[in-house]
Amino acid sequence: MENLIALLVAAPLLGAAVLLCGGRRLDRAGHWLGTLLAAASFVVAVVLFTDMLGKGAEDRALHQKLFSWIPVEGFQADVAFQLDQLSMTFVLLITGVGTLIHIYSIGYMEHDERRRRFFGYLNLFLAAMLILVIADNYLLLYVGWEGVGLASYLLIGFWQHKPSAATAAKKAFLVNRVGDMGLSIAIMLMFTTFGTFAYGPVLEATGETSEGKLTAIGLMLLLAACGKSAQVPLQSWLGDAMEGPTPVSALIHAATMVTAGVYLIVRSGAIFNAAPDAQMVVVVVGAVTLIFGAIVGCAKDDIKKALAGSTMSQIGYMILAAGLGPIGYVFAIMHLVTHGFFKAGLFLGAGSVMHGMNDEVDMRKYGGLRKYMPVTFVTFGLGYLAIIGFPGLSGFFSKDKIIEAAFAKGGTEGWILGSVALLGAAITAFYMTRVMLMTFFGEERWRRTATPSPDAPDVEPAAETRGEHAEPHPHESPKSMTIPMIVLAFGSVFAGGFFSIGDRFLHWLEPVTGHDHGDAPIGASTVTAATMVALVIGVAIAWAMYGRKPVPVAAPRGSLLTRAARRDLLQDDFNHVVLVRGGEHLTRSLVYVDHTLVDGVVNGTAASMGGLSGRLRKLQNGYARSYAVSMFGGTAVLIAATLLMRAV
Amino acid sequence: MSATAVHSLWTTASGVTSAAPDEKFKAPVIEYTQLAPVLIVIGVAVLGVLVEAFVPRRARYYTQVFLTVVALVAAFAAVVGLAAGGYGTTKAHIAAMGAVAVDGPSLFLQGVILLTSLVAVFTFAERRLDPEAHGNRVDSFAAQAASVPGSDSEKAAVRAGFTTTEVFPLVLFSVAGMLVFPAANDLLTLFVALEVFSLPLYLLCAVARRKRLMSQESAVKYFLLGAFSSAFLLFGIALLYGYAGSVSYAQIATVVDGSIQRTDPALADTMGNDALLLIGGAMILTGLLFKVGAVPFHMWTPDVYQGAPTPVTGFMAAATKVAAFGALLRLLYVVLPGLTWDLRPVMWGIAIVTMVGGAVVAITQTDIKRLLAYSSIAHAGFILAGVIAATPDGISSVLFYLGTYSFVTVGAFAVVTLVRDAGGEATHLSKWAGLGRRSPLVAAVFAVFLLAFAGIPLTSGFSGKFAVFKAAADGGAGGLVVVGVISSAIAAFFYIRVIVLMFFSEPKADGPTVAVPSPLTMTTIAVGVAVTVVLGLAPQYFLDLASQAGTFVR
């Protein structure tokens, strides 16, 4: 059975290779090939999952060693895979959602002439992401980590003719490099501390290692997680990453890749458990990002950017849960999976809306779309209910658990974290309701004519008329797009309940991550009630602001906070002032030092050597008598020195 | 000095410690087969003198070249035979009544000397570089060395097509001396060998065909200073004899380390006087350091290298250095190991000033032969670093370095003979500008040699330098290694500068031409390049060979 593991990666990798190297001949069938291979990987995952379910909890982990990668004395690195319950969860999510998004892309990218390449990149992403989650050591994880970074870069900048897309790709790449540095430093520290990178030996040895070292490793891992998962302070790239095609936003920048940081922290749980200081920082980062992302999400008028803020915020929940230690690991992953469903669904819905609205992303130019896109409306609506935590839906279960766990942390800490999580829940309800109302309800602000006529003939506009200034003709998307949305909507509705009832997910993951109930100061039902209150408050405020009053097409100036939030809470201004300007000054001073000091020393040395040479050369005057004197003097010195040595 | 003392000179060497004046004279035991390399060379040299006397002038050149090559090849075969017979390792011993050591270092260095001499002799025999004079092919040597430069007799000699074929027996005499020099096991043999190889060299330096005055000037300087250094050496030998009552290396060593307390009644006043030992040792060092060209005894080097006929320069630069370092190693390791700690600081100082001085002064040189002369001084410093290591690795690294260095040197000077203009060899560096455009092959070959001198990896120069510096570092001379590496960096500047000049400068309109040599010089250069590259890429076999040969017999 373990021999199948490599197949998980091999299928999409093959797809990427064939599609990217195959050339134009594959243009017509490329997307089918890519989708087929993604689906093949999913089938393998399901087979492995079924097999795993048939075994006892303790011997579910599979292991497959492909080959020795770097077999050097004292430095052993293998290409080996490990498939345990944690990896399995990710594999199912990645291949499942991945396959759905492949299918969705067939329709979404229909008119793009570089569709084959797009599917090649998607397959490449799947392969890299799978390597990331099934590697059995940190070095191979790093390979996958860089691989998804590459795929993300290529896909954000997929529409490279748009300068904004190219810039966004570059930004994502650069910010991710900072995180990647953290991961590579963490791996180096691990090697010097433990002498190996393999999960098993490293995580078992945490007991005998000094806390200082573990804290250092943990903080570096956290830096890596911040980069990949867009957590404060490395969050700035995610909003711009929405320049990529929407399926990419759904798959990579909502459901899977951005959650790699959560995976990394949960996987390295043993390190964080033994380094409480690092764990504390994780919690703080999670809590700050949770609020940060939520505030940004409230102010954005771009539907994808609003969702991106929401993603940031929801991953903040996960990071916060992961930072709680064994109390939260399971719930972090559970929220990750349910979030994968509903956020992917929301993004696909957003993509569907854009598809029908001439790629318009400004929600102020939407409105009343529920009549024109019923399927999108329903699936998006279910996703919306799931994310705000409407009772019975996925988000309700998973988010509720995290809030409970935050309180269960105990002490003042627990109260603060729990309150922040509750506040986040209220804001989530607010901004998601805002998105929902602005998009599907209210006036049809996209009409150029003053009087909206719902009876207008709903014809498919010709491609030529889908120009920038033409009035959009909202319409439902093709089947290839709606079916994945429907499937994801099922996940959004039922996954949480399925996982939570009878603690199924807890029992599934507990053997890997461990679990601790903590000591909750308030009962679970109290927390649930508080969450409900927060939810209702959020929705009510949003209704008051966007439901009852008409939404202006031009954004109002807004309060100071709104304006700051529109600018992503000044993240780019901060980065520009501190990093760009600072970097420029640093570079300039280094260049100055190089030109004056370094070059000065080098040239000065050369000049002084030349001068010395010229002077010494004069000793060579051509007279044998001078030469003889030199020899005589040399001998005298030689004798004197020898005698002196003996005397001393 | 009484008769007793003089007598003991010989008897102590043969192991008779209490010399009786009335003892019968014993016939010396000479192991002729073990001395075969030397005997072959010296025998053929004598034969060469007879050739000069009796063979018609026309046939002399071919006869001499043939005899010389045969002698060197036969001698090399004899060295290989001896080494194969185990004389380098298990059967190493002291032959000829204690006068000559037949051991690993001797055989290794003799082999190197013979091979470099052989390829150097090819350049001696080269007759296609200069245009024919009056229908006669000419080589690098004066038509008649005795004729005054510019005189009628010189012109007559040139017109008559005379050539100085005496250079071949002279080279053989010199080689014979060099073969004995590193093997000498008593101070008198050392001195005799020194004179046997030096005197022919003085003569050889004087017989250039072109720039004869410069050549003669260099020979006179070399002779004067050489005589001066020989005087130091001889005085040092006298002092050591006064100290130890013997000239045998082994005997002196036992007195130095105090294991044998002997008093010779005739030398009762001086024996065991450390001042004599130290002063004598320092003076002998002076003589040897003069030959290797270490600062401050180096000043003859640039003048002589420049003035001497280039084939002679190549021969001298390579073979002399090998022989002299061999003798220096044996002296320090066999005779004066007890003085290691007294001499070490002094040797450190000399090694440092030699490395730095050679490299620094080379920077401003404008003549390629002088440049190579200063380069050889810097290299002497690098080798000294290995000598100072005072470990078995030190010995073998020096042996290896000498092997690599000598072939590069002979090859480099052979290339110098090719680049010519109307006045003969164009040795001024400005004339080498753009050579790489005009004659890419010659320039590339020279570049290989320069890179080897600079110690760039994948050339023999790197392997050698690495071995020497590693031995020095392991031997506790880390400071020397630092200085050595810095000097190498300085030296790299002027080597690379020549490469830049050759390849990245515009050729001059009146630039030199590259003469097409006969297969003789081509062989020399090809061997040089081959050894440089092979010892750079796969030095292990030769390193092993050198380390097997790295034990002195006592």
Side-chain angles (χ1 to χ4, degrees):
Chain A
M1 207 28 90
E2 54 265 10
N3 293 334
L4 284 179
I5 300 178
L7 216 54
L8 286 172
V9 179
L13 203 59
L14 175 75
V18 170
L19 290 176
L20 294 177
C21 305
R24 298 242 165 79
R25 273 161 292 174
L26 290 170
D27 273 355
R28 303 185 57 178
H31 48 288
W32 292 113
L33 180 70
T35 311
L36 200 68
L37 286 168
S41 190
F42 178 62
V43 170
V44 174
V46 170
V47 170
L48 284 164
F49 177 62
T50 324
D51 177 66
M52 193 179 271
L53 284 180
K55 291 188 200 161
E58 292 310 318
D59 42 45
R60 278 177 172 169
L62 294 176
H63 200 267
Q64 181 188 16
K65 181 180 163 180
L66 282 190
F67 54 90
S68 270
W69 181 15
I70 309 173
V72 182
E73 174 87 29
F75 187 103
Q76 296 292 332
D78 292 339
V79 172
F81 299 133
Q82 167 188 315
L83 191 70
D84 57 7
Q85 291 91 322
L86 179 61
S87 299
M88 191 73 238
T89 313
F90 272 88
V91 167
L92 284 173
L93 177 74
I94 294 161
T95 54
V97 175
T99 306
L100 289 176
I101 286 172
H102 272 74
I103 296 170
Y104 177 90
S105 304
I106 294 174
Y108 190 85
M109 301 296 283
E110 195 172 357
H111 304 292
D112 199 302
E113 52 189 31
R114 292 160 75 232
R115 182 163 63 167
R116 171 183 55 82
R117 188 183 293 258
F118 181 80
F119 276 84
Y121 291 158
L122 275 189
N123 271 349
L124 176 68
F125 167 76
L126 280 191
M129 189 71 202
L130 287 167
I131 289 176
L132 197 163
V133 295
I134 63 177
D136 93 323
N137 60 70
Y138 282 97
L139 204 62
L140 190 60
L141 174 139
Y142 189 74
V143 173
W145 192 270
E146 291 295 329
V148 295
L150 170 68
S152 161
Y153 167 78
L154 292 170
L155 286 166
I156 294 171
F158 186 74
W159 287 321
Q160 64 223 55
H161 52 272
K162 287 201 296 188
S164 57
T167 312
K170 203 157 62 177
K171 185 175 180 186
F173 192 78
L174 287 175
V175 176
N176 267 292
R177 293 316 299 165
V178 180
D180 296 348
M181 272 314 290
L183 185 55
S184 57
I185 292 171
I187 292 174
M188 291 177 217
L189 285 175
M190 269 176 212
F191 184 71
T192 55
T193 313
F194 305 108
T196 175
F197 325 99
Y199 292 151
V202 168
L203 299 176
E204 276 160 27
T206 48
E208 301 100 64
T209 315
S210 78
E211 200 186 308
K213 279 183 181 170
L214 290 175
T215 306
I217 294 174
L219 289 176
M220 285 299 124
L221 289 174
L222 174 64
L223 183 65
C226 285
K228 203 54 98 197
S229 295
Q231 300 294 293
V232 175
L234 298 179
Q235 79 292 355
S236 65
W237 63 274
L238 186 61
D240 295 313
M242 296 301 128
E243 289 289 345
T246 307
V248 172
S249 310
L251 176 62
I252 300 184
H253 305 121
T256 54
M257 186 192 83
V258 286
T259 59
V262 183
Y263 171 78
L264 185 67
I265 291 176
V266 173
R267 177 58 82 192
S268 315
I271 293 174
F272 286 96
N273 292 346
D277 292 340
Q279 213 164 29
M280 194 64 224
V281 181
V282 175
V283 175
V284 171
V285 165
V288 169
T289 312
L290 153 61
I291 299 297
F292 185 102
I295 292 174
V296 170
C298 294
K300 291 287 181 184
D301 290 331
D302 178 330
I303 183 167
K304 283 180 74 182
K305 292 203 169 167
L307 289 178
S310 155
T311 302
M312 216 184 275
S313 166
Q314 298 300 315
I315 297 172
Y317 270 113
M318 300 171 209
I319 295 279
L320 181 133
L324 294 172
I327 315 173
Y329 290 142
V330 172
F331 303 127
I333 300 297
M334 189 162 102
H335 192 56
L336 192 154
V337 175
T338 56
H339 174 258
F341 284 120
F342 55 68
K343 187 52 67 64
L346 288 169
F347 265 109
L348 294 191
S352 177
V353 169
M354 286 158 57
H355 194 72
M357 294 292 289
N358 293 0
D359 290 330
E360 179 58 68
V361 292
D362 188 350
M363 292 189 290
R364 293 188 183 277
K365 294 176 185 158
Y366 292 168
L369 292 176
R370 63 183 186 281
K371 284 172 279 184
Y372 304 96
M373 305 179 176
V375 181
T376 307
F377 169 62
V378 172
T379 53
F380 195 94
L382 289 173
Y384 154 74
L385 292 176
I387 194 173
I388 63 171
F390 193 79
L393 273 67
S394 286
F396 167 75
F397 293 103
S398 55
K399 196 186 291 180
D400 195 51
K401 291 282 187 199
I402 291 180
I403 298 170
E404 277 176 39
F407 279 112
K409 177 80 178 167
T412 329
E413 235 176 286
W415 281 104
I416 294 171
L417 292 175
S419 316
V420 168
L422 268 181
L423 177 64
I427 306 178
T428 306
F430 170 79
Y431 67 73
M432 282 313 298
T433 310
R434 174 176 175 269
V435 169
M436 196 69 198
L437 291 173
M438 285 173 85
T439 306
F440 292 102
F441 295 91
E443 292 171 38
E444 296 174 357
R445 296 182 298 276
W446 39 271
R447 291 214 184 271
R448 307 278 170 201
T449 49
T451 51
S453 71
D455 310 324
D458 190 8
V459 284
E460 179 80 33
E464 307 88 75
T465 63
R466 297 176 83 202
E468 185 89 356
H469 302 290
E471 189 178 281
H473 298 274
H475 58 94
E476 190 52 273
S477 297
K479 284 266 183 335
S480 66
M481 288 168 70
T482 50
I483 290 172
M485 287 154 60
I486 294 167
V487 176
L488 288 171
F490 268 97
S492 313
V493 175
F494 300 113
F498 178 77
F499 290 158
S500 283
I501 294 165
D503 285 339
R504 277 204 192 91
F505 200 76
L506 183 62
H507 294 313
W508 162 252
L509 217 50
E510 197 183 353
V512 181
T513 58
H515 186 65
D516 179 2
H517 288 287
D519 49 344
I522 44 175
S525 48
T526 323
V527 174
T528 309
T531 314
M532 283 306 108
V533 173
L535 165 70
V536 170
I537 293 172
V539 172
I541 295 175
W543 169 252
M545 286 175 70
Y546 300 95
R548 279 176 41 198
K549 293 184 283 187
V551 179
V553 177
R557 190 147 179 277
S559 68
L560 199 64
L561 181 65
T562 314
R563 271 179 281 147
R566 278 193 195 130
R567 303 194 56 157
D568 299 293
L569 292 178
L570 306 178
Q571 59 182 16
D572 292 335
D573 308 75
F574 176 83
N575 285 349
H576 187 78
V577 170
V578 175
L579 300 176
V580 178
R581 292 261 177 77
E584 278 170 1
H585 283 293
L586 185 66
T587 314
R588 247 178 260 143
S589 25
L590 283 179
V591 167
Y592 177 76
V593 167
D594 186 48
H595 281 175
T596 53
L597 200 68
V598 178
D599 287 4
V601 168
V602 170
N603 295 336
T605 311
S608 59
M609 279 294 159
L612 183 65
S613 178
R615 232 158 277 148
L616 285 178
R617 203 180 158 193
K618 297 216 176 83
L619 293 177
Q620 193 79 26
N621 56 13
Y623 293 117
R625 55 175 187 260
S626 314
Y627 299 177
V629 167
S630 152
M631 283 173 62
F632 184 81
T635 313
V637 171
L638 194 62
I639 291 170
T642 316
L643 289 174
L644 200 66
M645 280 305 141
R646 179 55 66 95
V648 172
Chain B
M1 195 183 282
S2 72
T4 318
V6 176
H7 190 61
S8 72
L9 230 167
W10 299 104
T11 48
T12 48
S14 58
V16 182
T17 47
S18 59
D22 59 345
E23 197 181 333
K24 280 186 180 173
F25 182 77
K26 277 168 87 178
V29 182
I30 307 291
E31 294 85 343
Y32 290 100
T33 44
Q34 291 160 35
L35 301 178
V38 183
L39 296 178
I40 290 169
V41 173
I42 216 156
V44 177
V46 172
L47 198 59
V49 175
L50 294 178
V51 167
E52 286 299 318
F54 295 110
V55 172
R57 197 178 283 279
R58 272 176 296 116
R60 279 185 207 159
Y61 168 78
Y62 295 102
T63 318
Q64 292 287 19
V65 171
F66 175 75
L67 280 178
T68 310
V69 170
V70 166
L72 293 173
V73 170
F76 183 70
V79 167
V80 172
L82 286 174
Y87 284 99
T89 50
T90 49
K91 285 201 259 176
H93 75 127
I94 294 167
M97 309 290 287
V100 176
V102 180
D103 59 6
S106 294
L107 291 176
F108 187 93
L109 293 174
Q110 286 175 346
V112 171
I113 290 169
L114 287 167
L115 277 185
T116 45
S117 305
L118 182 64
V119 291
V121 160
F122 289 155
T123 60
F124 279 58
E126 177 64 57
R127 305 183 95 173
R128 289 202 195 158
L129 298 177
D130 255 349
E132 294 184 357
H134 305 287
N136 297 305
R137 286 187 167 172
V138 296
D139 50 24
S140 306
F141 304 103
Q144 196 172 32
S147 60
V148 175
S151 68
D152 291 340
S153 70
E154 185 193 39
K155 285 171 193 145
V158 171
R159 211 173 302 120
F162 291 176
T163 51
T164 309
T165 45
E166 290 92 337
V167 293
F168 295 102
L170 285 173
V171 161
L172 285 183
F173 278 122
S174 184
V175 169
M178 290 173 184
L179 294 181
V180 177
F181 201 49
N185 200 49
D186 70 46
L187 293 172
L188 286 184
T189 312
L190 180 80
F191 180 70
V192 171
L194 174 78
E195 292 305 323
V196 168
F197 87 72
S198 296
L199 289 169
L201 280 181
Y202 303 147
L203 283 176
L204 286 171
C205 289
V207 297
R209 171 175 288 272
R210 310 262 195 169
K211 300 174 187 155
R212 289 193 62 197
L213 285 174
M214 204 170 156
S215 168
Q216 291 180 351
E217 183 194 328
S218 79
V220 170
K221 279 183 192 165
Y222 193 15
F223 172 66
L224 282 174
L225 297 170
F228 194 43
S229 82
S230 293
F232 278 114
L233 185 81
L234 204 50
F235 197 6
I237 290 173
L239 292 175
L240 273 195
Y241 176 72
Y243 167 77
S246 168
V247 290
S248 154
Y249 281 10
Q251 304 274 355
I252 299 172
T254 56
V255 179
V256 172
D257 66 22
S259 58
I260 295 179
Q261 290 289 337
R262 284 179 301 116
T263 43
D264 194 316
L267 297 169
D269 295 341
T270 58
M271 274 192 74
N273 184 338
D274 274 355
L276 291 185
L277 168 68
L278 295 171
I279 299 173
M283 287 181 138
I284 293 177
L285 275 184
T286 299
L288 295 179
L289 291 173
F290 173 82
K291 283 294 166 197
V292 303
V295 178
F297 314 107
H298 69 289
M299 303 195 82
W300 59 277
T301 319
D303 292 9
V304 175
Y305 276 27
Q306 189 185 16
T310 308
V312 174
T313 312
F315 166 70
M316 179 165 68
T320 311
K321 200 152 269 183
V322 177
F325 266 111
L328 185 63
L329 273 180
R330 189 178 295 278
L331 188 80
L332 290 174
Y333 279 80
V334 176
V335 185
L336 304 175
L339 285 191
T340 304
W341 293 106
D342 294 287
L343 291 178
R344 210 173 156 94
V346 181
M347 295 295 286
W348 265 66
I350 289 176
I352 288 173
V353 293
T354 306
M355 288 189 279
V356 175
V360 167
V361 181
I363 293 176
T364 43
Q365 297 305 314
T366 52
D367 184 281
I368 189 75
K369 285 170 82 177
R370 287 184 84 83
L371 181 91
L372 291 177
Y374 281 104
S375 138
S376 89
I377 294 169
H379 280 276
F382 299 143
I383 303 175
L384 274 178
V387 171
I388 292 168
T391 57
D393 273 354
I395 302 175
S396 58
S397 72
V398 170
L399 295 184
F400 181 77
Y401 198 113
L402 289 169
T404 62
Y405 175 74
S406 54
F407 284 95
V408 180
T409 306
V410 172
F413 280 106
V415 174
V416 172
T417 63
L418 302 184
V419 183
R420 310 178 80 88
D421 58 15
E425 289 161 9
T427 56
H428 199 276
L429 267 181
S430 63
K431 298 199 172 158
W432 286 57
L435 192 72
R437 310 251 178 114
R438 210 175 290 149
S439 312
L441 184 64
V442 170
V445 165
F446 199 62
V448 169
F449 290 137
L450 289 172
L451 292 175
F453 279 135
I456 304 298
L458 304 185
T459 64
S460 61
F462 174 75
S463 323
K465 213 174 256 181
F466 183 79
V468 165
F469 285 166
K470 182 173 183 298
D474 291 346
L480 268 189
V481 175
V482 171
V483 176
V485 171
I486 293 172
S487 307
S488 300
I490 299 173
F493 165 75
F494 58 79
Y495 294 128
I496 307 295
R497 192 180 62 150
V498 176
I499 295 179
V500 170
L501 192 70
M502 288 194 300
F503 286 97
F504 302 105
S505 302
E506 284 302 317
K508 285 192 172 175
D510 60 340
T513 53
V514 170
V516 179
S518 69
L520 289 166
T521 304
M522 281 187 200
T523 310
T524 307
I525 296 173
V527 169
V529 171
V531 171
T532 305
V533 173
V534 169
L535 291 195
L537 293 176
Q540 199 53 51
Y541 173 76
F542 300 93
L543 282 169
D544 290 345
L545 198 66
S547 84
Q548 276 173 24
T551 314
F552 286 108
V553 66
R554 281 166 212 274

